[in-house]
Amino acid sequence: MRDLQGAQSDGWALVPLGGSLFDAVITAGGERGSRVITMMDEIECDRRGAHEPACGPVIEDPDQGWLFWLVPPGTSERWQPHGDSACLGQPHVLFLPPLTRTRPPGVFWRRRLRGDRLVSPAPLYDLFDRVSGPGRDILR
């Protein structure tokens, strides 16, 4: 992934969504988003048998209150409408922060991009579906 980040842009990269790289699910951040990241870590750790955060890459924009979950390409074509999230693919683009930017201020990697590991869209959708319904908010 280092090829995506140019020296002329201080490590920032403008990347087209879709294609062979990834799509992006956009959700609210804050406490709710942090809890979903923790739950995704648990789901992925159980699935992979790992003992470290395994959620897949997530970018946080704390100033705007957004999380950008990098999911497999083509997810935007299958993503069902959801009041708390949107999934974008082609023809959209996304600015990726430098891989070394792992803390605020500004946009940073909440979970870094590592190899080809991406966020699993089905459990992500299910978690946001569970937390968004009236009377079903598991994060309170």
Side-chain angles (χ1 to χ4, degrees):
M1 282 298 173
R2 289 187 188 275
D3 295 342
L4 295 175
Q5 297 171 315
Q8 72 278 7
S9 61
D10 294 326
W12 287 83
L14 181 63
V15 177
L17 297 176
S20 63
L21 295 176
F22 43 77
D23 288 351
V25 173
I26 304 165
T27 67
E31 181 62 27
R32 178 174 287 193
S34 293
R35 300 279 306 273
V36 172
I37 289 173
T38 299
M39 288 188 280
M40 284 297 296
D41 280 343
E42 292 170 8
I43 289 168
E44 291 297 318
C45 281
D46 288 346
R47 198 181 95 188
R48 297 176 194 271
H51 300 290
E52 62 183 47
C55 164
V58 180
I59 298 168
E60 184 168 353
D61 181 344
D63 297 333
Q64 300 301 316
W66 297 110
L67 293 174
F68 299 85
W69 309 75
L70 304 187
V71 295
T75 299
S76 63
E77 298 165 12
R78 298 181 302 279
W79 193 265
Q80 296 296 312
H82 195 286
D84 288 345
S85 66
C87 187
L88 301 177
Q90 290 179 335
H92 301 280
V93 296
L94 182 66
F95 268 104
L96 301 181
L99 291 174
T100 56
R101 184 177 276 242
T102 58
R103 290 191 162 83
V107 178
F108 67 99
W109 289 98
R110 183 72 181 264
R111 292 288 184 268
R112 282 190 40 180
L113 185 63
R114 296 183 185 137
D116 62 353
R117 183 188 329 167
L118 297 171
V119 175
S120 300
L124 178 65
Y125 186 93
D126 290 344
L127 285 174
F128 274 99
D129 190 46
R130 288 172 52 197
V131 302
S132 66
R136 299 185 311 172
D137 187 350
I138 61 172
L139 299 183
R140 287 191 181 171

